[in-house]
Amino acid sequence: MGLFDFLKKKGDAPLAGAAARPRHDNPLAAGPVTRLALDTEAERERQREIARATAAKIDEIELEMTSAIFDDDAWSGIRRPPAAGSPQADQNTDFLLGPDDLPDAAAAPSSALVVEEAAILYANDQLDAAALLLRTSVRDSNGGAGERLPWWMLFDLYQIMGLGREFESIAIDYASHFETSPPTYHPFAETSRSLAGPALDDQFSGAIPTASLSGRLDDGDGARAQLARAQAASPSPLVRFEFQAITQVTPPGCALLLEALQALRKAGRELVLAGADQLVAVLRPMLAIGDRGAGEAPWLLLLELLLLTNREKDFEETAMDYCVTFEVSPPSFEAPPQLAVSLAAASLPPHVAQGAAAPSDRFLLPAVIRGSSAALLAAIADHVADRPALVLDGSRLARIDYAAASALAVHLRTLAQDGRDVVLRDLNHLVAALLRLLGVGDRVRLYAHKY
């Protein structure tokens, strides 16, 4: 008798009263339907597959527990590494960035055809057809770890198309399918459908003003120069801060950074806070309820970071601690019009980090790229002319058509052949799949954002 024999699988025995229940030939009269029910033979087959998968899962757990009972190594305290594709193994949201130095892998053989066809359909502006193909693929998926890419592509597509309800529906299926937390819906501000004609000429692309802070944050000349560059007038809609290398902070340095963040927020600038969690982790040990030794600046900087990254609960708790410590009214949480994006930024490879390239060398790609894109390629060439490395930021890139992707692929391969280190960061999975299909990944490192 197995360990789970007392858990009867579906079909092992009829439920009480089942024989007395009338059988309906009409599927519409068969009782309540599931959330995704379509009352079709395909849906009924899907439900049967779920039942079979559940039974198989019980058998698998039973086998593992039986093996563990009679396996001395299982009791030795040795922890097995997470399986590939598990939530632990996938932690890195660069969101966009993360400390990963390995580029994204290609699709698994079982999903490669679907991934490539969906990427081409999307590039050719056939969004509905791409969505149908991916939706069919994920519903037929067998749950393997390598099969997540079609799901990720569908998540990106739904966000680009602004289909929040469809996204939430498939997110619930994803959470159940892979036994992980579901992703959160963040629609694209601009999509391939909303930009056309003259609107394409108004898209910004170019270098992003960046303040790269490292080591000890104080009010010295180095920090002042970095913050001044971030606050300088620029056509870029984004301002980027790099906090991941900060190891220590001083009250004067906190006051200096706080002043810069508040000025940019009040000016309505969009902020990217790479490594914000690292700075928060450095700040918190300095602060204790009732201890005014560090002054107000570190407290207020922590509150500003929590405000910008929309962490309301943490903000309210910290505000109350600040109120008790300094005997003042607690600040209120008022989310700014432009919330900052908090990233865990990845470091560049050692041979690049020692050179002239820095995170401030990022070149922001526009929301939509179409046609020959000659002006964009010329701007990229000018940007990288005196640099040994090129980092393209794809966080705003919603869609690139096939012709533009082919031209970009040729251009980037040429730059890579000249000895430059070329990296594309924060791509959506549809664009990353298309560029990989065109061979860009052979010489260029591609990093899509993580779910």
Side-chain angles (χ1 to χ4, degrees), residues 21-22 48-49 88 98 131 151 168 171 175 180 189 208 218 247 251 266 277-278 318 320 331 336 338 357 360 423 451:
R21 187 180 301 122
R48 289 192 290 269
E49 282 294 330
Q88 286 176 287
W151 293 80
E168 296 298 339
T180 187
I208 306 174
D218 53 26
T247 57
K266 292 175 182 178
D277 289 343
Q278 166 66 15
T318 305
M320 290 304 300
Q338 297 287 355
S360 58
V423 184
Y451 280 111

Side-chain angles (χ1 to χ4, degrees), residues 21-39:
R21 187 180 301 122
R23 179 174 179 178
H24 300 278
D25 293 329
N26 180 2
L28 295 178
V33 296
T34 60
R35 180 177 56 81
L36 292 175
L38 299 177
D39 292 318

Side-chain angles (χ1 to χ4, degrees), residues 204-217:
F204 172 81
S205 61
I208 306 174
T210 302
S212 301
L213 303 171
S214 61
R216 186 171 184 264
L217 174 61

Side-chain angles (χ1 to χ4, degrees), residues 379-393:
I380 293 175
D382 290 342
H383 174 78
V384 77
D386 57 348
R387 293 178 170 88
L390 171 64
V391 181
L392 296 177
D393 188 320

Side-chain angles (χ1 to χ4, degrees), residues 195-240:
L195 291 175
L200 290 173
D201 298 328
D202 297 331
Q203 301 178 92
F204 172 81
S205 61
I208 306 174
T210 302
S212 301
L213 303 171
S214 61
R216 186 171 184 264
L217 174 61
D218 53 26
D219 61 345
D221 292 341
R224 290 184 180 276
Q226 289 290 329
L227 295 176
R229 181 162 69 168
Q231 294 177 272
S234 169
S236 170
L238 302 180
V239 178
R240 184 180 179 88

Side-chain angles (χ1 to χ4, degrees), residues 273-290:
L273 307 182
D277 289 343
Q278 166 66 15
L279 180 53
V280 168
V282 173
L283 283 168
R284 285 199 183 277
M286 298 177 58
L287 311 178
I289 299 176

Side-chain angles (χ1 to χ4, degrees), residues 329-409:
S329 298
S332 59
F333 183 87
E334 297 179 3
Q338 297 287 355
L339 289 174
V341 177
S342 177
L343 312 178
S347 59
L348 291 173
H351 68 281
V352 177
Q354 294 171 1
S360 58
D361 292 327
R362 279 171 171 261
F363 185 99
L364 182 68
L365 295 174
V368 178
I369 307 176
R370 295 176 181 167
S372 65
S373 58
L376 175 63
L377 298 182
I380 293 175
D382 290 342
H383 174 78
V384 77
D386 57 348
R387 293 178 170 88
L390 171 64
V391 181
L392 296 177
D393 188 320
S395 58
R396 291 204 157 202
L397 177 58
R399 194 176 75 88
I400 179 171
D401 70 20
Y402 198 89
S406 298
L408 180 63

Side-chain angles (χ1 to χ4, degrees), residues 231 257-269 304:
Q231 294 177 272
L257 177 57
L258 174 65
E259 181 182 358
L261 291 175
Q262 289 180 334
L264 290 168
R265 173 166 60 86
K266 292 175 182 178
R269 300 295 294 276
E304 183 71 15

